Amino acid sequence: MLPVLLGVIEDLAAAGALGASLLACLVLVAPADRARAMTPIAVLGGVWTLTQLLALAPAPRLVPALVAALAALITLLAAGLGTSARARIVGLLTGVLAVLGITIRVLGDQGFLLPQAGAAVPVLVHVLAMSVWLGGLGAILLLRARGPLTDARAVISRFSHLALLAWCVLALSGLWALLTRLGSPLDLVTTAFGLAGLAKIVLLLALGVLGALQRRHLATRMRADGPGRPFVRLAGIELVLMVVAVALGGILALLPAPGLLGGAAAGPAAELTGHALPSAPSAAALLTSWRPDALVIALALGLVFALRFPRTGPRPSRHARSTEARLVVGAVLLVLVVCGPLGVYGPVLSSAHLLQQGLLLVVVGPLLASAVPTPGGLVRLLHRDPWVAPLLALGPTCLLVLVHATPWLLGPALATIPGHELLLLAPVVLGALTWWTVDPGAGPLRDGDEGAGPTEPTGRLRAWRIVLAALPVAGLAVSGLAVALGSTLLASDRFGATGRTWRADALADQQTGGWILVGLAVLAGIALAARGVASRTSRLSARTGG
């Protein structure tokens, strides 16, 4: 009983730290309220640290030690730097640390290796979604108990939007995680594990109903001076149900799972990836191949939900529909590239892996970056130190090349769950960084910004932009040529050890992937050149046409 109680307290503290951090960096409007949120973050971080130290008491272990260090760092940051001016940045940092701590804690129980990803990643996403909802709601109630919130209507509206996203992710990932542990659908009602999971599903449905009531009757009809007693009553009921759901989650972790739905895969590929070797690539196989990644799908849902996230400032009106379309298309492409045929063949075929990395870097990342403003800090850096721009333009491609060329980096990235997810998301972030560096004035909110640049670039500025655009294209082309003409097999213990009889020559397949990267670089160069010509033509037409 004591381990369950200690685990529930740990989960609640971690959820509270993450939720309060999100409040500080996303939900709360007034700087004074953000500064007030630092107190619960520090307290909950301290409780989280204490639970990990108690877990270390019987015998020193690496996972509790790492989590304790992260939780202690959360406490120190919130207590030492949580002033009004820095509260949003501190909230972002503590939120990242909380996500890392929860990830290490969950994967420490579920497993860190890639063959365990099918069961572990849905559980991780489920725990993170529950932490966002439970922790955020608890933090709002704590802050409101200590005093009224500034612009409470906006705060509740923002949190309701975030809670709806969390509930959608929570429900999908919870059902997903439960089904992966059942030997058959009947185990849902014939085993203690299935019954506990069923009870948790019922609680989630009740939480969804309460959340809908909150959004319908409170976020749109509350008085300007605050949410009042109805919100406190509904939020209190939600909080109680969430605590019960967390307790059920602790019980589920202790109960033996009936088995894996469909049985465990066998063979060399299954030992490396957790999935059976797919059939030889064909039109039918490519059209029907699908391997969903819970974390990537949750992030894509978050991107779509961000379109309707309530804002306190003016919403962008110029090209708003085009911006929203690019964000939605980018989110859909992210899911297709990661979870579609390339997600099935990428872990066993180096050409598919390289194509996947190239598409994420060249297409998905820039498409998403073109739909959101360039970060203000990056704009200021580029204007203050222009010499940094070439490094940032070429650096992302070089970083990916370095990871793939270094066995002690590529090995863990392909073999572990954190490495695998980072290898999928890093090209997206790096592609976005490249886009923002090459075209810092392309975002929908940059008109009139300090860093937007002149409407009609001078000849020197135009040449500078051409150089910046050419650097990542040239870097990708050179990297592709090096792979296409090289004779060293990347990750031979993986791509050369899957036991496949089709495309059995791993080096020839890798060289094909290199030529694919060269083709992507050529297409990227053509697209950038066409965009530059179209932009110049539209400016000339505007000048001549009045």
Side-chain angles (χ1 to χ4, degrees):
M1 188 62 186
L2 183 59
V4 175
L5 180 60
L6 190 62
V8 169
I9 295 174
E10 175 191 346
D11 292 340
L12 292 176
L18 177 56
S21 299
L22 285 178
L23 284 188
C25 66
L26 286 178
V27 177
L28 295 174
V29 176
D33 288 339
R34 297 190 196 110
R36 287 169 54 202
M38 295 298 108
T39 300
I41 293 175
V43 172
L44 291 167
V47 173
W48 193 6
T49 304
L50 181 60
T51 59
Q52 295 305 298
L53 293 177
L54 291 175
L56 283 170
R61 288 177 295 159
L62 179 60
V63 169
L66 289 175
V67 176
L70 291 172
L73 187 55
I74 288 173
T75 301
L76 292 174
L77 282 173
L81 299 177
T83 61
S84 298
R86 300 176 179 174
R88 175 170 283 177
I89 299 298
V90 172
L92 177 62
L93 292 175
T94 55
V96 171
L97 292 173
V99 169
L100 287 175
I102 293 172
T103 300
I104 294 173
R105 170 73 170 80
V106 171
L107 295 184
D109 293 336
Q110 302 293 324
F112 282 92
L113 297 179
L114 187 60
Q116 299 156 324
V121 175
V123 173
L124 172 61
V125 173
H126 185 74
V127 172
L128 288 174
M130 175 63 84
S131 299
V132 168
W133 193 358
L134 171 62
L137 185 61
I140 285 180
L141 292 178
L142 284 175
L143 290 177
R144 192 179 181 280
R146 297 175 58 200
L149 295 172
T150 304
D151 199 355
R153 183 172 185 173
V155 170
I156 300 304
S157 178
R158 285 179 163 204
F159 178 73
S160 296
H161 194 86
L162 191 63
L164 178 60
L165 170 62
W167 183 83
C168 293
V169 174
L170 193 67
L172 292 174
S173 60
L175 183 61
W176 187 343
L178 184 63
L179 291 177
T180 58
R181 286 165 168 74
L182 297 178
S184 70
L186 285 177
D187 289 336
L188 190 64
V189 293
T190 59
T191 63
F193 184 89
L195 290 173
L198 193 60
K200 194 171 180 182
I201 291 174
V202 173
L203 281 177
L204 288 178
L205 292 176
L207 287 170
V209 172
L210 289 174
L213 288 174
Q214 173 183 294
R215 287 178 59 85
R216 181 183 239 178
H217 297 292
L218 298 174
T220 59
R221 299 182 183 177
M222 69 177 65
R223 296 189 309 271
D225 59 346
R229 290 183 180 178
F231 168 74
V232 176
R233 184 166 58 249
L234 275 179
I237 296 173
E238 276 190 65
L239 205 57
V240 171
L241 292 179
M242 286 182 188
V243 172
V244 175
V246 171
L248 283 175
I251 294 173
L252 279 172
L254 297 177
L255 292 174
L260 294 175
L261 190 63
E271 294 178 1
L272 293 171
T273 67
H275 298 275
L277 183 69
S279 58
S282 63
L286 294 177
L287 289 174
T288 57
S289 297
W290 176 255
R291 185 172 297 166
D293 185 298
L295 182 60
V296 170
I297 292 175
L299 290 175
L301 280 175
L303 290 172
V304 175
F305 267 74
L307 291 173
R308 293 292 179 261
F309 189 76
R311 305 183 185 185
T312 54
R315 296 181 64 87
S317 56
R318 186 185 178 191
H319 307 309
R321 290 187 178 180
S322 173
T323 296
E324 293 180 357
R326 288 198 300 273
L327 191 61
V328 172
V329 171
V332 172
L333 284 178
L334 174 62
V335 173
L336 290 178
V337 172
V338 172
C339 305
L342 294 178
V344 174
Y345 288 94
V348 297
L349 203 61
S350 57
S351 59
H353 170 76
L354 293 173
L355 175 57
Q356 184 185 56
Q357 293 280 293
L359 289 175
L360 293 173
L361 177 69
V362 174
V363 178
V364 177
L367 185 60
L368 291 174
S370 68
V372 297
T374 302
L378 179 60
V379 173
R380 290 189 292 271
L381 174 64
L382 293 176
H383 278 263
R384 185 179 67 247
D385 301 310
W387 59 269
V388 176
L391 299 179
L392 294 179
L394 186 59
T397 303
C398 292
L399 182 59
L400 281 181
V401 171
L402 177 65
V403 170
H404 284 79
T406 309
W408 57 269
L409 290 176
L410 184 60
L414 293 173
T416 64
I417 296 174
H420 175 72
E421 298 296 338
L422 283 175
L423 202 56
L424 292 174
L425 297 177
V428 179
V429 177
L430 295 175
L433 177 61
T434 302
W435 176 267
W436 286 327
T437 303
V438 170
D439 194 356
L445 299 182
R446 300 180 190 93
D447 298 281
D449 285 353
E450 179 185 355
T455 303
E456 177 65 31
T458 63
R460 180 180 296 180
L461 180 58
R462 222 169 11 243
W464 178 246
R465 288 181 177 178
I466 291 173
V467 170
L468 290 181
L471 284 174
V473 173
L476 185 62
V478 171
S479 304
L481 283 174
V483 174
L485 302 177
S487 58
T488 301
L489 185 62
L490 303 176
S492 58
D493 57 343
R494 172 164 295 267
F495 295 121
T498 58
R500 64 178 186 270
T501 54
W502 44 268
R503 299 188 71 87
D505 190 338
L507 181 59
D509 178 70
Q510 177 181 291
Q511 291 170 339
T512 300
W515 289 116
I516 290 174
L517 292 182
V518 174
L520 283 176
V522 172
L523 292 176
I526 294 173
L528 286 173
R531 184 177 184 275
V533 171
S535 177
R536 180 167 175 77
T537 301
S538 64
R539 287 196 301 267
L540 291 175
S541 300
R543 290 173 58 189
T544 57

